[in-house]
């Protein structure tokens, strides 16, 4: 697990640095087509594909994996089932559980291991209403201006 966490951390830093995803960057994502774009000053400069890996219900402080969340569009799930199987096959408890109480360290570890298992370029998160959504980012490409 340590190797998976380190790999995800390294890839996250590379994605942020390589594509300039800090500072005044805005993001827009769509559950319909599992896509994300980043813009600066209203001009889109980067796009990628998303896998929604889980959500944190703020009022209940609970994590729910997307494979256990039926109402999500199938495009958003990517290959999330591999994360659940990885947890089962390797005796890693939080990965095959449908959900668990929100502990920041557990959520961070689950996200990083999922990123490594699914070979993501990075991680992203956003909050909407009373839910934090957690994404893996794949296939990041600059958008021609």
């Amino acid at each position: 697990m340590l190797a998976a966490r380190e790999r995800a951390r390294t890839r996250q830093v590379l994605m942020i640095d390589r594509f300039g995803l800090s500072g005044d960057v805005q993001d827009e994502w769509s559950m319909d087509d599992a896509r994300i774009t980043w813009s600066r000053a209203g001009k889109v400069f980067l796009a990628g594909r998303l896998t929604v890996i889980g959500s944190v219900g703020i009022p209940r402080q609970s994590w729910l994996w997307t494979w256990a969340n039926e109402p999500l569009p199938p495009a958003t799930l990517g290959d999330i089932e591999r994360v659940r199987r990885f947890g089962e096959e390797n005796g890693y408890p939080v990965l095959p559980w449908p959900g668990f109480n929100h502990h920041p360290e557990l959520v961070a570890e689950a996200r990083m291991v999922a990123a490594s298992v699914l070979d993501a370029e990075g991680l992203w998160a956003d909050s909407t209403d009373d839910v934090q959504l957690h994404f893996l980012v794949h296939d990041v490409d600059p958008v021609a201006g």
Side-chain angles (χ1 to χ4, degrees):
M1 291 303 154
L2 183 59
R5 288 191 302 261
E6 189 54 39
R7 179 174 185 246
R9 274 190 200 108
T10 300
R11 291 189 87 170
Q12 179 73 11
V13 168
L14 287 172
M15 183 182 80
I16 299 293
D17 290 347
R18 177 178 175 208
F19 296 113
L21 293 175
S22 59
D24 60 347
V25 174
Q26 294 82 44
D27 64 86
E28 187 171 320
W29 48 267
S30 167
M31 291 277 211
D32 294 330
D33 61 1
R35 302 290 301 162
I36 186 168
T37 59
W38 290 272
S39 61
R40 188 173 277 116
K43 183 171 173 61
V44 174
F45 67 93
L46 196 63
R49 180 176 56 86
L50 295 175
T51 298
V52 184
I53 57 171
S55 59
V56 174
I58 304 299
R60 299 184 82 172
Q61 289 295 292
S62 60
W63 170 270
L64 180 64
W65 287 102
T66 55
W67 57 263
N69 193 347
E70 304 247 344
L72 291 175
T76 65
L77 300 179
D79 204 6
I80 192 67
E81 188 64 26
R82 279 183 46 213
V83 175
R84 186 188 62 74
R85 284 194 314 267
F86 179 86
E88 287 177 345
E89 292 166 3
N90 293 282
Y92 192 78
V94 300
L95 300 182
W97 297 345
F100 52 88
N101 288 337
H102 176 262
H103 296 286
E105 301 83 24
L106 264 183
V107 169
E109 187 164 332
R111 286 170 28 108
M112 287 187 283
V113 172
S116 184
V117 169
L118 296 183
D119 198 30
E121 289 188 55
L123 296 150
W124 208 254
D126 200 359
S127 294
T128 175
D129 299 326
D130 291 337
V131 176
Q132 289 177 343
L133 296 171
H134 296 268
F135 309 105
L136 298 181
V137 181
H138 313 271
D139 308 326
V140 178
D141 284 311
V143 173

